Amino acid sequence: MTRYFVTLALAIAAALLTPQVKAEKVVVYREGQLVNPQDVAAVLGKTRSIHLLDDTPAVPAKSTTMAAGSLAKTAASSPASARIARDDSNADASALSLPVRFAFGSADILPAARTQLDALAAGIKLLAPESTVTVEGHTDAVGSDAYNLELSRVRARAVRDYLVQHHGIDAARLKIVAYGKARPIEASDPNTALNRRVQFRGS
């Protein structure tokens, strides 16, 4: 019995002393929401000590989401927004997520996505000239790991190319990374459209 209490005490002590991984905050824009370039620059202007290799998949990390309502005005409300945790404090947000629409199963960016990407580009242009931005490709859980990883890679690449070709942003400032379905933003519903996104962070 004494051994049980000693083991329990050690387990509790270990749990209390183990550093907790702080959940990352992501500002999530919905389709149709206006993206403010100043807000984009505020989030992407924060740098982190993480180095990602271009075109290299990375390991999953915990993340939490917040609605972009406190950073941008909503053009149209959606019932699905109830699934996103709202937080008025975006000061510690480290990334932002756009629901970039592509043609089914391809990397062709649909016209509906361009307004938000154009505002994002304006925000990137407000950053210091030497700053870089990581463009992350994410998918939902439909399909195999390999298929989704490759799809997320070509879609992230398509977004980078759009920013370079249509807005003159130096390609060297835009790094891409593919996560496939490994980092759902809405883990309770892996197939939801919320998980089909392109995420951006300062790097």
Side-chain angles (χ1 to χ4, degrees):
M1 191 67 160
T2 304
R3 181 180 294 173
Y4 169 77
F5 286 115
V6 170
T7 304
L8 180 62
L10 289 174
I12 292 171
L16 292 174
L17 295 175
T18 301
Q20 297 299 312
V21 178
K22 186 176 179 183
E24 172 185 54
K25 284 193 174 180
V26 178
V27 179
V28 178
Y29 286 92
R30 302 280 183 169
E31 188 172 343
Q33 272 188 312
L34 300 178
V35 177
N36 185 317
Q38 284 79 19
D39 295 333
V40 170
V43 173
L44 299 185
K46 299 169 191 158
T47 57
R48 306 173 66 203
S49 57
I50 293 178
H51 303 286
L52 297 174
L53 298 177
D54 192 21
D55 292 349
T56 303
V59 295
K62 292 183 180 179
S63 68
T64 59
T65 61
M66 66 178 75
S70 54
L71 283 182
K73 295 180 181 177
T74 305
S77 61
S78 167
S81 63
R83 280 180 265 170
I84 296 296
R86 296 190 176 274
D87 189 336
D88 291 331
S89 173
N90 295 318
D92 54 350
S94 59
L96 59 89
S97 173
L98 295 182
V100 181
R101 292 187 61 193
F102 297 91
F104 181 75
S106 84
D108 295 333
I109 299 172
L110 296 179
R114 293 177 186 162
T115 300
Q116 287 184 328
L117 287 176
D118 294 343
L120 177 92
I124 292 173
K125 289 179 179 180
L126 295 175
L127 297 173
E130 68 278 5
S131 64
T132 59
V133 172
T134 299
V135 181
E136 302 175 353
H138 299 266
T139 67
D140 61 23
V142 177
S144 69
D145 290 348
Y147 171 81
N148 281 302
L149 187 63
E150 181 58 23
L151 183 61
S152 66
R153 179 177 289 114
V154 296
R155 286 180 169 178
R157 206 177 274 146
V159 168
R160 178 187 62 185
D161 292 347
Y162 178 87
L163 296 173
V164 170
Q165 295 166 8
H166 293 269
H167 294 281
I169 296 172
D170 185 355
R173 296 181 63 195
L174 302 172
K175 308 300 179 185
I176 65 168
V177 64
Y179 289 108
K181 58 183 178 180
R183 291 189 173 187
I185 206 163
E186 186 58 79
S188 63
D189 185 4
N191 295 337
T192 183
L194 284 174
N195 293 326
R196 300 193 294 269
R197 69 199 192 277
V198 179
Q199 208 157 279
F200 304 85
R201 73 178 69 251
S203 56

